[in-house]
Amino acid sequence: MGQKITLPSVKAYEKFILPKLAVYATPENIEKYLIQDIEDRKKLCAYSSQFVERTICVLSQCYLRLRMSLDVPWTIEKWHLRVCFRMQGLIVPENAIILPEKAISGPDISIENREFYVTVKINDHEKVKVRCKIHQYTSDPEREIIYDTPYYQFASRAIFPEDQEILNSLPRHRLANKEIRDETEENTEDLE
C-alpha cells in the first residue's frame, strides 16, 4: 500500500497485477492508494522494506552450529557462517555478515561448545544478532568429542565473557525452550 516499484512488464503482470497484489501507477491509482494516515506511513517507513520485520524475526531465532576441525588449524571466516546459514535454508551473503571484533581460531578444546554472536546487516540498514556455537570434530575415534545430551541443551557460555550479557538476551534454540517448558510442566505435576 503506497509503495511504488519498477519491474519488467511480464514479471509485473504475472506476479503482481494478475494476482491483484498491485495496480498500475496511473495518476488515478496513485491518488486512490495514497496513504493518508500518518501512523500507517510511519509503519511503512520504519524498515527498509516490507519484509525486514519478518527477516529479523527469523534471523534472531537462528542458532548456528559451526562444525570446525580438531585436526586442521582454522580461523572463523564469513564463508563458514554463510555455509551454516545455507544449511538452515537461509541465503545470507558474506558482505552482510559482521564477525566479532576478536578472531576465533582453533583447534582449541577450551572453546568447545562455547557461544558467540555475529551481526547480520539487512539491506545495509537494519542489523540483527545471531547466536553461534562451536563444535569441533575429528575423524580420529580416540579424540572424538561425544555428548550424551544435544548441543542446544548446554548452558550458554560465551567465548568472550564480555558478550555473555548479549548472548543471554538472544532467543535460545527452539527445542531447548520446548524442553525447558516440558521440564517445568513435569515439575508442576509433581507438586500437585
Side-chain angles (χ1 to χ4, degrees), residues 106-125:
D108 181 359
I109 203 69
S110 69
I111 62 172
E112 173 65 22
N113 219 19
R114 295 267 183 122
E115 296 183 350
F116 66 99
Y117 71 90
V118 295
T119 305
V120 177
K121 285 175 62 176
I122 305 167
N123 298 334
D124 282 331
H125 191 264

Side-chain angles (χ1 to χ4, degrees), residues 49-183:
S49 92
Q50 61 184 345
F51 304 107
V52 169
E53 189 173 10
R54 176 73 179 134
T55 304
I56 288 172
C57 182
V58 169
L59 287 174
S60 69
Q61 294 177 22
C62 277
Y63 196 105
L64 295 184
R65 182 178 180 207
L66 275 83
R67 292 185 43 107
M68 306 304 284
S69 175
L70 262 174
D71 303 321
V72 180
W74 49 265
T75 299
I76 291 179
E77 297 178 24
K78 291 180 178 186
W79 70 267
H80 291 113
L81 295 155
R82 180 179 49 86
V83 170
C84 286
F85 278 115
R86 174 90 38 97
M87 289 173 72
Q88 289 198 6
L90 300 167
I91 309 283
V92 178
E94 287 182 29
N95 64 347
I97 300 170
I98 302 170
L99 294 171
E101 291 177 10
K102 298 176 189 172
I104 302 171
S105 299
D108 181 359
I109 203 69
S110 69
I111 62 172
E112 173 65 22
N113 219 19
R114 295 267 183 122
E115 296 183 350
F116 66 99
Y117 71 90
V118 295
T119 305
V120 177
K121 285 175 62 176
I122 305 167
N123 298 334
D124 282 331
H125 191 264
E126 294 85 6
K127 293 181 180 179
V128 62
K129 292 177 176 63
V130 179
R131 183 188 297 264
C132 305
K133 187 173 261 196
I134 300 276
H135 291 282
Q136 298 171 83
Y137 70 92
T138 180
S139 57
D140 181 3
E142 292 179 12
R143 294 180 55 217
E144 186 177 8
I145 302 169
I146 299 173
Y147 295 105
D148 295 336
T149 56
Y151 69 93
Y152 51 80
Q153 287 183 340
F154 287 97
S156 169
R157 290 181 33 221
I159 293 174
F160 310 117
E162 61 271 15
D163 292 343
Q164 187 66 53
E165 190 175 323
I166 294 170
L167 286 169
N168 290 342
S169 70
L170 295 176
R172 291 190 49 150
H173 192 280
R174 61 184 174 75
L175 293 177
N177 290 337
K178 179 187 180 302
E179 291 181 14
I180 289 170
R181 282 194 303 271
D182 292 345
E183 286 176 16

